[in-house]
Amino acid sequence: MTTHTYLGSPERTYLLRGVSVLGGEPRDLLLGAGQLLDPADAPGDAVTVDGDGLVALPGLVDLHTHLREPGREDAETVHTGSRAAAAGGFTAVHAMANTDPVADTAGVVEQVYNLGRDAGYCDVRPVGAVTVGLGGQRLAELGAMAHSAARVRVFSDDGSCVSDAVLMRRALEYVKAFDGVIAQHSQEPRLTESAQMNEGVMSGVLGLTGWPAVAEEAIIARDCLLAGHVGSRLHVCHVSTAGSVELIRWAKGKGWAVTAEVTPHHLLLTDELVATYDPLYKVNPPLRTAEDVAALRTGLADGTIDCVATDHAPHPTEDKECEWGAAAMGMLGLETALSVVQHTMVDTGLLDWAEVADRMSVRPAAIGRVLTQGQPLQVGAAAHVTLVDPSAVRTVEATESQSLSRNNPYRGLELPGRVVATFLRGRATVLDGKLQ
Amino acid sequence: MRRHLLSSADLTRDDALQVLDTAEELRSLADRPIKKLPTLRGRTVVNLFFEDSTRTRISFEAAAKRLSADVINFSAKGSSVSKGESLKDTALTLEAMGADAVVIRHGSSGAPHRLATSGWVRSSVVNAGDGTHEHPTQALLDAFTLRRHLGDLAGRRITIVGDVLHSRVARSNALLLATLGAEVTLVAPPTLLPVGVSAWPVQTSYDLDSALDKCDAVMMLRVQHERMNAAFFPSAREYSRRYGLDDRRFDRLPDHAIVMHPGPMNRGMEISATVADSTRSVIVEQVTNGVAVRMAVLYLLLSGSDAARPGTEEAVL
């Protein structure tokens, strides 16, 4: 792979001067031999990065990414998707299982894992399918995937809901044997047949079939009860409604091992955008109302929602350049996630940078059992570091992307923050804002 | 009205009245031996129908031809569309043929909006019914018909009955009639009213009988067969008993009240044969008026101004 020659040598040492670690007082960080070292030991030939005004975070970890390979290499590949991840400040992504073939065997997850390693831009952690072919009928060989080289810990039928209550119960129970977690795409299928957008005032006006909040909340309520009953770990994907936040808050209050994620787009965009009928805004779960957005922000701020996950979902132009009903669901997210979080959570005073690190690195790494990631930036830790310039402002251009796809819903928006550098095991994948 | 007619919501009261007044003038043409004006000579109107709808298509076709426009009918069946051609490629083809107006019927809500705002075509776009969204020329012809019988619609009580949830006719009528000052009541079983209908400029009721006494017109909506097995109501018989305009209910209407239906009717289901054929039923007249209203829309969109020409925007009706 030619990419290796472009990547900084792992032997190179980086001295990050005067960076604000988690938004704190400026200090130096030294990255060498894949680790954080004592800055006092900086060698003379260390590459110095001027950290004035930059915030240092542990490398970001995404629990929910669609890399599309194998099967839809016209939309994204592991290589291009992990480049987009690095550009967005991520050092680990979880590659969802809804590929073609589905990642429901040890063979497929190992293929994705190896492609990620070859690309070298971030740790690619394959997510295993819960059921064979995402069919919702029979459990996939979860144990084989867990014990493969890919060491899968997160299992999800994302895109489809494990709607069968017995199958969901068994899956939750079964993964306890290897400390796995079931990441549920909560969507009651019968309540959402042909659903096109959030069910509410806008769907009534626009004549589009509604996707009611209750279809998400009913599954979350059931799954929380199941997780409590069998004592297993449930992770709720892309929480999108105010009611879901309440349910998760309730389940956590019971002491059950329930975690949840919210996407950047659900923190910012609302269903009013659907009035354009531009399929750029078609996504599953759909964009909701301003009240939902407010509840999601509050839930992320108070820790009810554990983390931000992108649900980065690349689609080729022809799948979006059509009428709403025919369009694919999903939007890009890796390269804008941190900016959207800064805009919606930091600049509004809801989160400080230490909490951003918690929600975008520490907690997702813990949920996915990504061992070396999401660690405190202290001497001896693996050198996964993201440097962000919070004072930068950019107008989002869809064409300025490492992704193969262009379905960027933020195009034309002015967003704060810029990823200046990303280090994966001490190696710069992004430096001076440029992919290496 | 702007360059396009996509939704009844695009029409201000003045816009709507201008269409209706123009249609009134053009309506007289129907009674003349030679039913043709030279107004749109040299202009091309494309009827782009992704769904079968013979009555709407021939209504637009008659309207365009009576204004001397060239008409191209492009229907999904037997065309490249059935071979999987995208809306975009179809639009580019029409653009290359020099269409001045595209009249589009599509099964997907918002498809006309997409066509008008995507930059694929420069022509005017007229929504001839999109999915479960809107059908603004149907609302205009209904308003036109109502006005001929009731005069000014301000303060008039119009009751619309049936499957509001899936009805583009109901959406367009609710918006337009409210714009014209009418008091609209939507009557349906709760399963067939959209979530969020409380935000519409209308009253709603689950009880047809209570909505009949004082109304000036009652508009019955078609119940599609596919609703009958999807638990929206228990059976066709029960629907008919609770929401059908039968002879008994018809007798309770005020003497001046008229009965409307956008067609095609399910006789014996939402409307009894006696009611459909009564002298107070204006259902056939609606069809005649449809041509006049569509002539007015095409005329106002295409004539006089350079509305259909490239680079011109916001041509005023």
Side-chain angles (χ1 to χ4, degrees):
Chain A
M1 295 288 290
T2 51
T3 49
H4 288 302
T5 58
Y6 295 113
L7 288 171
S9 150
E11 290 83 40
R12 188 172 280 177
T13 304
Y14 292 94
L15 180 64
L16 316 183
R17 271 199 189 284
V19 293
S20 163
V21 177
L22 307 187
E25 285 306 307
R27 61 183 173 94
D28 296 348
L29 292 178
L30 184 66
L31 283 56
Q35 288 188 321
L36 284 162
L37 306 173
D38 186 342
D41 300 335
D45 63 349
V47 179
T48 303
V49 175
D50 176 12
D52 187 29
L54 303 185
V55 172
L57 304 170
L60 307 182
V61 176
D62 191 9
L63 267 177
H64 195 142
T65 316
H66 295 275
L67 296 180
R68 300 293 187 225
E69 190 176 4
R72 285 308 298 266
E73 291 83 355
D74 57 330
E76 196 80 285
T77 65
V78 173
H79 185 247
T80 59
S82 53
R83 283 168 66 94
F90 289 89
T91 52
V93 298
H94 288 74
M96 273 299 169
N98 62 338
T99 49
D100 182 13
V102 170
D104 58 1
T105 62
V108 178
V109 294
E110 285 189 352
Q111 180 197 356
V112 172
Y113 173 71
N114 288 331
L115 286 166
R117 247 194 355 191
D118 290 347
Y121 286 96
C122 62
D123 287 346
V124 173
R125 299 288 315 248
V127 173
V130 178
T131 66
V132 174
L134 309 177
Q137 301 291 323
R138 288 185 297 129
L139 284 186
E141 290 193 345
L142 308 179
M145 291 188 273
H147 291 101
S148 72
R151 297 182 58 257
V152 175
R153 290 295 176 272
V154 181
F155 298 90
S156 180
D157 273 4
D158 182 61
S160 306
C161 179
V162 183
S163 63
D164 182 314
V166 172
L167 204 58
M168 186 62 183
R169 176 203 168 137
R170 298 290 180 236
L172 283 166
E173 286 177 309
Y174 194 76
V175 298
K176 289 201 293 182
F178 33 85
D179 196 24
V181 60
I182 304 294
Q184 174 74 295
H185 172 113
S186 309
Q187 177 179 4
E188 211 292 316
R190 284 278 286 148
L191 283 170
T192 50
E193 280 173 15
S194 322
Q196 296 292 320
M197 69 172 297
N198 179 47
E199 183 165 82
V201 171
M202 290 306 292
S203 64
V205 169
L206 297 174
L208 290 168
T209 308
W211 196 134
V214 61
E216 174 171 309
E217 293 156 8
I219 293 292
I220 292 176
R222 182 202 73 178
D223 288 350
C224 287
L225 291 164
L226 284 173
H229 182 57
V230 303
S232 186
R233 290 207 292 143
L234 168 72
H235 178 71
V236 184
C237 293
H238 41 51
V239 169
S240 72
T241 77
S244 299
V245 178
E246 272 186 69
L247 287 165
I248 291 159
R249 193 174 283 131
W250 164 77
K252 288 192 163 183
K254 294 275 192 185
W256 298 337
V258 173
T259 57
E261 70 190 30
V262 61
T263 70
H265 47 273
H266 287 113
L267 289 173
L268 180 60
L269 309 177
T270 70
D271 65 352
E272 305 263 325
L273 289 163
V274 183
T276 61
Y277 287 108
D278 186 336
L280 214 45
Y281 304 112
K282 185 173 176 179
V283 64
N284 194 18
L287 300 178
R288 305 284 188 185
T289 67
E291 291 72 38
D292 294 304
V293 167
L296 293 168
R297 291 183 185 186
T298 306
L300 183 64
D302 70 21
T304 302
I305 298 174
D306 297 82
C307 59
V308 175
T310 65
D311 199 2
H312 176 83
H315 289 290
T317 304
E318 61 272 20
D319 287 347
K320 288 290 189 181
E321 210 174 43
C322 56
E323 60 273 27
W324 183 276
M329 297 186 183
M331 36 183 71
L332 298 185
L334 284 169
E335 291 161 288
T336 43
L338 191 54
S339 288
V340 173
V341 169
Q342 184 186 337
H343 177 61
T344 58
M345 302 299 295
V346 180
D347 294 354
T348 53
L350 289 167
L351 290 182
D352 59 27
W353 285 106
E355 290 165 323
V356 169
D358 180 65
R359 309 298 195 275
M360 296 189 77
S361 177
V362 177
R363 288 219 233 177
I367 293 165
R369 302 294 193 247
V370 190
L371 298 180
T372 70
Q373 302 253 3
Q375 300 301 311
L377 294 181
Q378 60 195 27
V379 172
H384 305 300
V385 183
T386 297
L387 294 185
V388 55
D389 175 5
S391 67
V393 175
R394 61 167 166 165
T395 301
V396 178
E397 299 283 350
T399 50
E400 288 174 14
S401 174
Q402 301 298 327
S403 172
L404 279 182
S405 293
R406 293 291 175 266
N407 50 315
N408 185 333
Y410 310 107
R411 59 176 63 177
L413 273 186
E414 202 170 78
L415 288 176
R418 187 174 77 106
V419 173
V420 174
T422 310
F423 298 93
L424 174 68
R425 266 175 223 91
R427 213 170 55 188
T429 55
V430 175
L431 205 56
D432 295 330
K434 293 184 188 67
L435 200 73
Q436 299 298 294
Chain B
M1 192 150 71
R2 289 160 288 183
R3 249 179 72 196
H4 312 291
L5 177 57
L6 306 175
S7 160
S8 288
D10 295 345
L11 299 168
T12 64
R13 187 165 185 277
D14 286 347
D15 290 336
L17 290 175
Q18 191 186 13
V19 175
L20 298 179
D21 291 343
T22 306
E24 199 65 57
E25 288 174 42
L26 295 168
R27 174 74 163 72
S28 61
L29 203 66
D31 302 326
R32 290 190 211 155
I34 297 172
K35 301 178 173 58
K36 200 151 177 158
L37 292 175
T39 318
L40 295 185
R41 182 175 295 157
R43 298 300 188 108
T44 301
V45 175
V46 175
N47 287 324
L48 177 58
F49 276 57
F50 291 85
E51 275 187 346
D52 282 335
S53 174
T54 308
R55 49 175 64 219
T56 303
R57 185 182 57 73
I58 61 176
S59 180
F60 269 106
E61 187 171 351
K65 284 180 170 169
R66 284 180 194 176
L67 293 169
S68 302
D70 295 320
V71 179
I72 298 172
N73 288 315
F74 193 120
S75 77
K77 281 202 174 140
S79 76
S80 48
V81 174
S82 57
K83 295 171 195 154
E85 186 176 77
S86 70
L87 179 63
K88 179 182 181 179
D89 287 324
T90 306
L92 294 176
T93 303
L94 301 178
E95 177 70 7
M97 287 177 183
D100 295 295
V102 176
V103 175
I104 175 173
R105 161 69 64 103
H106 202 291
S108 183
S109 298
H113 194 280
R114 195 82 178 111
L115 193 62
T117 58
S118 59
W120 302 330
V121 294
R122 289 171 295 184
S123 45
S124 292
V125 175
V126 179
N127 181 359
D130 61 327
T132 54
H133 178 223
E134 286 213 39
H135 194 356
T137 61
Q138 176 72 41
L140 284 164
L141 78 87
D142 288 337
F144 180 85
T145 307
L146 284 163
R147 214 167 63 140
R148 282 174 79 94
H149 289 269
L150 304 174
D152 185 358
L153 297 184
R156 290 296 194 171
R157 294 191 175 91
I158 318 292
T159 300
I160 301 176
V161 188
D163 183 0
V164 176
L165 178 62
H166 301 97
S167 174
R168 47 197 174 207
V169 176
R171 270 178 191 73
S172 285
N173 262 303
L175 291 168
L176 180 67
L177 294 175
T179 299
L180 292 170
E183 293 173 18
V184 178
T185 303
L186 303 177
V187 180
T191 47
L192 291 175
L193 285 174
V195 168
V197 73
S198 58
W200 296 17
V202 298
Q203 302 288 311
T204 58
S205 170
Y206 306 140
D207 179 22
L208 178 55
D209 289 306
S210 68
L212 290 177
D213 291 341
K214 290 178 181 160
C215 79
D216 297 298
V218 56
M219 184 184 300
M220 304 307 295
L221 302 172
R222 177 179 168 78
V223 180
Q224 303 282 354
H225 282 285
E226 63 255 38
R227 312 290 170 234
M228 297 185 191
N229 299 317
F232 288 106
F233 44 84
S235 69
R237 280 295 102 209
E238 172 151 325
Y239 180 88
S240 186
R241 272 196 301 276
R242 291 177 65 83
Y243 296 99
L245 188 59
D246 56 16
D247 302 355
R248 179 183 59 83
R249 290 199 173 103
F250 181 65
D251 288 340
R252 294 189 43 219
L253 287 172
D255 291 340
H256 69 280
I258 59 171
V259 175
M260 310 176 76
H261 193 297
M265 289 181 278
N266 296 305
R267 286 172 180 252
M269 174 70 177
E270 69 265 6
I271 190 166
S272 77
T274 325
V275 176
D277 297 331
S278 82
T279 52
R280 282 152 64 197
S281 156
V282 297
I283 295 167
V284 176
E285 187 190 330
Q286 285 174 270
V287 177
T288 312
N289 294 341
V291 177
V293 162
R294 286 168 181 134
M295 286 173 75
V297 167
L298 291 173
Y299 170 80
L300 291 167
L301 285 175
L302 293 182
S303 72
S305 72
D306 287 336
R309 301 236 172 94
T312 318
E313 49 192 327
E314 301 300 304
V316 180
L317 231 179

